[in-house]
Amino acid sequence: MKLVHQINLAFALSLILVLSVTAVVIHYVLMDHFIGTQRKDMQSIGAELTAKLETAAAQSIPIESTPLAVSGGFASAQVAEVGVIIQDNQGNVVSTIPVTPAAQFMGSQAILPDGVASFSSAAGSGQFLTEVTAVPQGTMTLITPISKIKAIEQALMARLMLVFGVGGVIMVILSLFITKRLIKPLMLLREELRKVKERQFSEVERVSASGEIGVVAESVYEMAGELERYNHVQRQFFQNASHELKSPLMSISGYAEGIRDGVFEGEEIRKGLDIIMSESSRMKNIVTEMTLLAKLDSEDGIFKATAVNLKELVEEAIERVNPVLVRKGLFVHPSYGDNESLMVYADRDKLLQALLNIVSNGARHASKHIYIQAGIDKDRVMLTVSDDGEGISEELIPYLFHRFVKGKNGESGLGLAIARAIVERCGGLITAGNRKEGGAVISLGFPPYRKTTVA
């Protein structure tokens, strides 16, 4: 069964249940109200007639001559008709009074049900409301049939049920309309998810909806965009990887064939072998970096985080690249905040690899100086590596950390991509830009290490 039908069926059953319970409650409430109101009216009528009978007894007026008419207000306000029966001390009926025109009593037994022998036992039968009052002439009994009250209550309930029925139909119609409005975005969302399933990410459209459905729809749209970008990056990655690997393979293959066929002689053979070794080493580095990137993206066990002193790590990175700095005549200027704890939670070896990649990248582009600054800024451990070189072209900045994206004098195009992957696995953020004074600057930000930090 479709969701829209399930919702409508559930709503209809709930509505029927609620209306049924409401009808039962209203039935008993109305009966209790009508009986209570009728009993109060009977007590008022009894009090009025008792006063008249006491006055007649005091004046020795025969009961037949006593005016026992009830005031018009009572007669018009009755829930049901009331009959008054006066009996003498021997139990004989001496007078009957219809309080309303419909209450006509032709004798004492005319209003009593079968099996009820006297008016005093009428209340116990459950079919009458009775109010018995002692008067000087004997006993006065006010009596009303319960059936009359029930008839009035049932007539009113019939009208209420009609109102409930009309209201229920209107609610069902509104439910169908509202459910359709609510389900329609879900149906559209299902169609968009089908496109995701079939990997048609670029064809996924944004579904307009409100509330939680709108949030889910927006998440699906953003997910499709991310998957499309991921697919694009993956395709570009394989294209670039094949290109990067193809170049050294062609060189290796060309020189190997030339040496085999005797094209190269003497010193040229040695030169060809050097090129083969150099290209093999470059290809090995590319494969190693690609493997590292793949592991950083997919494997959790490769990353072992501990407390790392960033100052010590920077000094070790400078020491590692010092031969390159000396050969190129570059100067490194490290600076650290005073009395600040530069502890971060990271994999020490991996973060050292990221720093080496960043500093080596700066060494390729610097003219004379490289500046490394570490400190605390807005409760984050910040590290910046800048140089006085030509800087980064504005077109390249958004793609600088993508795989196989190389700037001027770049090598494999994987160094900064690896650095970003490592920094992000450490819970940090890496960005790139240009200094006002000229040259590139790469900034790293990490959450400070706390003893409660969990890997």
Side-chain angles (χ1 to χ4, degrees), residues 135-150:
V135 294
Q137 291 82 356
T139 303
M140 179 178 66
T141 303
L142 283 78
I143 188 167
T144 296
I146 294 291
S147 60
K148 301 294 182 180
I149 299 176
K150 286 184 177 180

Side-chain angles (χ1 to χ4, degrees), residues 310-374:
L310 199 57
K311 179 179 178 180
E312 295 178 359
L313 207 65
V314 169
E315 291 175 349
E316 184 174 348
I318 294 173
E319 184 178 349
R320 293 277 191 95
V321 298
N322 191 56
V324 177
L325 301 176
V326 172
R327 186 173 67 250
K328 298 186 68 173
L330 300 175
F331 299 93
V332 177
H333 307 278
S335 63
Y336 313 98
D338 296 335
N339 301 320
E340 291 181 333
S341 175
L342 300 177
M343 300 295 293
V344 296
Y345 194 67
D347 186 312
R348 190 180 190 283
D349 292 337
K350 300 296 186 299
L351 189 54
L352 177 60
Q353 177 66 49
L355 287 177
L356 288 173
N357 290 354
I358 294 170
V359 176
S360 298
N361 185 74
R364 280 195 298 272
H365 298 89
S367 296
K368 277 292 183 181
H369 303 281
I370 297 176
Y371 305 94
I372 302 177
Q373 296 177 323

Side-chain angles (χ1 to χ4, degrees), residues 294-313:
K295 289 182 177 181
L296 288 172
D297 287 341
S298 59
E299 297 184 19
D300 292 330
I302 193 175
F303 201 82
K304 296 179 174 59
T306 58
V308 178
N309 189 312
L310 199 57
K311 179 179 178 180
E312 295 178 359
L313 207 65

Side-chain angles (χ1 to χ4, degrees), residues 63-118:
I63 193 171
E64 294 81 1
S65 303
T66 303
L68 297 177
V70 180
S71 60
F74 288 118
S76 62
Q78 298 301 314
V79 173
E81 58 266 21
V82 177
V84 180
I85 301 166
I86 300 175
Q87 298 171 283
D88 59 18
N89 293 326
Q90 287 74 36
N92 300 317
V93 177
V94 297
S95 179
T96 61
I97 308 168
V99 175
T100 59
Q104 302 294 332
F105 297 95
M106 302 307 296
S108 63
Q109 297 301 317
I111 60 174
L112 295 177
D114 295 337
V116 181
S118 65

